[in-house]
Amino acid sequence: MSLLDQLAEQHILAALREGELDDLPGAGQPLLLDDDSHVPKELRAGYRLLKNSGYLPPELEMRREAIELEQLLHGIDPQDESYELHTNRLHLLELRLRQAGMSTDFLHGGYGLKIKQHLSEDK
């Protein structure tokens, strides 16, 4: 055990003795851990820090934005002047995701696709 580990252990034990950790939220509950078995052991702590701080790789950030735009478009009237702007942004994101080698099937559910086809036929 390294010196840093020993110091941390001492501080934890002191806090336990003084009761500082008694009333923490989730005390006595099992931890809900992410499945990080696909990540090498030496990278897991770093990945967890990045994830907990809200960092996403660029492709996943684009995917998140595309999902948000799709949900936004469902709530906007197609006659709204911002509808076309958001639609164009969504198409651009979809193109970039495909170029990055990611599937965009999540944007084209079966029912949603049929609605889009129906709406485009009405124009």
Side-chain angles (χ1 to χ4, degrees):
M1 190 181 289
S2 72
L3 179 62
L4 185 59
D5 291 334
Q6 291 175 359
L7 287 173
E9 191 69 26
Q10 287 174 359
H11 283 285
I12 291 170
L13 290 173
L16 284 171
R17 277 193 305 269
E18 295 172 15
E20 294 178 18
L21 305 176
D22 289 346
D23 296 325
L24 293 176
Q29 300 294 322
L31 293 176
L32 299 174
L33 301 176
D34 294 333
D35 178 23
D36 57 2
S37 59
H38 61 284
V39 178
K41 287 184 180 187
E42 62 273 7
L43 297 177
R44 288 180 186 168
Y47 276 41
R48 190 170 292 121
L49 282 171
L50 290 172
K51 181 183 174 213
N52 290 343
S53 65
Y55 172 80
L56 286 176
E59 294 84 8
L60 292 181
E61 184 64 37
M62 285 190 295
R63 185 179 194 277
R64 182 197 55 78
E65 185 179 350
I67 291 170
E68 287 178 0
L69 276 172
E70 184 184 36
Q71 291 172 348
L72 177 68
L73 287 170
H74 287 297
I76 294 179
D77 181 16
Q79 303 303 322
D80 191 309
E81 59 190 45
S82 66
Y83 187 86
E84 186 176 348
L85 176 71
H86 295 306
T87 303
N88 291 340
R89 176 68 181 153
L90 181 60
H91 290 307
L92 178 64
L93 283 171
E94 187 173 359
L95 178 65
R96 287 183 179 170
L97 286 168
R98 286 183 183 160
Q99 288 174 338
M102 293 185 69
S103 171
T104 57
D105 291 343
F106 63 92
L107 292 172
H108 305 289
Y111 184 70
L113 183 59
K114 288 180 183 178
I115 291 175
K116 287 180 185 178
Q117 287 173 348
H118 180 71
L119 291 175
S120 66
E121 291 173 1
D122 288 345
K123 289 185 178 182

